[in-house]
Amino acid sequence: MSLPVVILGPTASGKSDVAMAYARACPGAEIVAVDAMQVYRRMDIGTAKPTAADRAAVAHHCLDLAEPSDDFAVTDFEVAARVALDGVAARGGQAVLVGGTGLYLRSVTDPMEIPGRWPEVRATLEARLAHEGSAALHGELLALDPVAAGRMEPSNERRVVRALEVTLGSGRPFSSYGPGLGHYPPIQYRQIGLQWARPALTARIAERVQRMMSAGLLQEVQSLLAEPAPLSRTARQALGYKELIDHLQGGVSLDEAVHTIVLRTRQFAVRQERWFRRDPRIRWVRIVDDPVAEVLPVLLHP
């Protein structure tokens, strides 16, 4: 059994194409998606989920795990990923983890102490969120757990509420859980990161958003909103979906919504890069033009 490989990087960096090329070149390789939004069924275009042809050619795991009406958490992902990895190992294959959700990845590569849940505390916080906004709750988190507050954007409602839920419910800082995000012990994974020059990645992001719109992302969002069960808070925050919901329900023009998708995706890519850059265990490959041609030799001939 070969050492599991992690192919990571910011959104639109080409990591999924690299993973597919590597898996096709390595008999027995199976892909494990590490993406907080690809876990949702019927959220396909906006999450850049692998095509049906790719999934038929190479076994994929950790896709379509939950309904869009569900709040899916890192703890849920960790369980699913462990089951998938154990299955790949039992078959004598090689796991190829691919994605850009840093916390989900670390839940697999670095075992965590997972905090519990406090539904009453969460319900109170969500009621406050509706009236006070995420910036106010982030300010409270900053006073109670400045380390955790410094790791998330004030606008990230889901993470802010979860951090406060744990801090208030458990009586200990949210940042005290887990392996310690500032520590990087040896792991049994080979991690390869895709690095683009910022202008090139910016252009790729704009092109990707336009492809998604041409592929029917607006219609996908309309279909999701028409379902009987409403989208969960988590699913509604997905890039592309949130902005188009604002267009469909909030009076934002389509052009403005698309512009905002591009802008927020660029900002998200910067946050992804900052997260991954902290990890000294990642081998970075600087991409000039073709991620598959430039990264595949590194994966095949370490």
Side-chain angles (χ1 to χ4, degrees):
M1 182 179 65
S2 301
L3 195 68
V5 169
V6 177
I7 302 170
L8 56 84
T11 187
S13 60
K15 52 189 177 291
S16 296
D17 291 339
V18 172
M20 273 301 300
Y22 179 72
R24 287 177 181 275
C26 300
E30 302 183 29
I31 292 175
V32 179
V34 186
D35 188 290
M37 296 303 164
Q38 288 185 351
V39 301
Y40 288 112
R41 303 182 189 107
R42 300 181 300 287
M43 291 177 61
D44 302 332
I45 298 171
T47 66
K49 205 173 286 181
T51 65
D54 285 346
R55 295 169 74 169
V58 175
H60 282 70
H61 306 277
C62 295
L63 299 170
D64 301 328
L65 300 176
E67 286 297 310
S69 56
D70 297 335
D71 274 314
F72 195 88
V74 63
T75 50
D76 302 309
F77 177 80
E78 183 181 12
V79 171
R82 290 291 172 197
V83 171
L85 291 169
D86 288 346
V88 175
R91 291 185 288 276
Q94 181 182 28
V96 182
L97 289 78
V98 57
T101 305
L103 186 60
Y104 277 35
L105 177 61
R106 289 212 70 186
S107 76
V108 177
T109 61
D110 300 79
M112 295 182 173
E113 178 190 1
I114 303 298
R117 295 180 181 274
W118 292 266
E120 292 183 0
V121 174
R122 185 177 186 87
T124 299
L125 290 169
E126 290 183 341
R128 288 181 54 198
L129 177 67
H131 290 90
E132 301 174 32
S134 61
L137 294 187
H138 186 268
E140 182 175 339
L141 179 64
L142 183 63
L144 296 172
D145 186 356
V147 174
R151 292 173 178 163
M152 61 191 71
E153 297 293 322
S155 59
N156 193 327
E157 298 176 356
R158 181 170 61 93
R159 291 195 67 194
V160 171
V161 168
R162 176 58 177 159
L164 270 178
E165 174 196 352
V166 172
T167 300
L168 296 172
S170 68
R172 56 183 275 201
F174 181 65
S175 60
S176 68
Y177 290 86
L181 296 181
H183 300 282
Y184 299 93
I187 54 175
Q188 294 301 308
Y189 294 84
R190 185 160 66 101
Q191 299 189 104
I192 303 295
L194 279 61
Q195 179 186 10
W196 286 86
R198 187 63 54 77
L201 185 62
T202 296
R204 286 176 64 88
I205 287 171
E207 292 167 2
R208 170 174 162 147
V209 171
Q210 290 302 325
R211 286 198 305 271
M212 288 178 171
M213 293 302 298
S214 297
L217 178 56
L218 179 61
Q219 291 73 28
E220 181 172 272
V221 175
Q222 289 173 319
S223 179
L224 289 166
L225 291 175
E227 293 184 358
L231 287 171
S232 67
R233 184 184 300 276
T234 303
R236 290 180 71 93
Q237 294 301 310
L239 280 169
Y241 297 84
K242 174 179 172 59
E243 295 77 17
L244 290 178
I245 290 172
D246 289 341
H247 162 62
L248 293 168
Q249 298 183 338
V252 175
S253 73
L254 182 58
D255 286 345
E256 183 180 354
V258 172
H259 174 77
T260 304
I261 295 171
V262 173
L263 176 61
R264 288 177 176 167
T265 304
R266 287 168 53 188
Q267 294 169 339
F268 177 60
V270 171
R271 294 196 298 272
Q272 288 175 299
E273 288 182 325
R274 287 175 180 166
W275 173 286
F276 289 127
R277 276 291 172 187
R278 302 178 186 135
D279 191 339
R281 302 168 301 186
I282 298 171
R283 177 181 177 182
W284 289 95
V285 179
R286 189 168 183 83
I287 312 301
V288 176
D289 179 58
D290 186 338
V292 172
E294 295 168 49
V295 179
L296 194 57
V298 176
L299 288 166
L300 294 174
H301 308 288

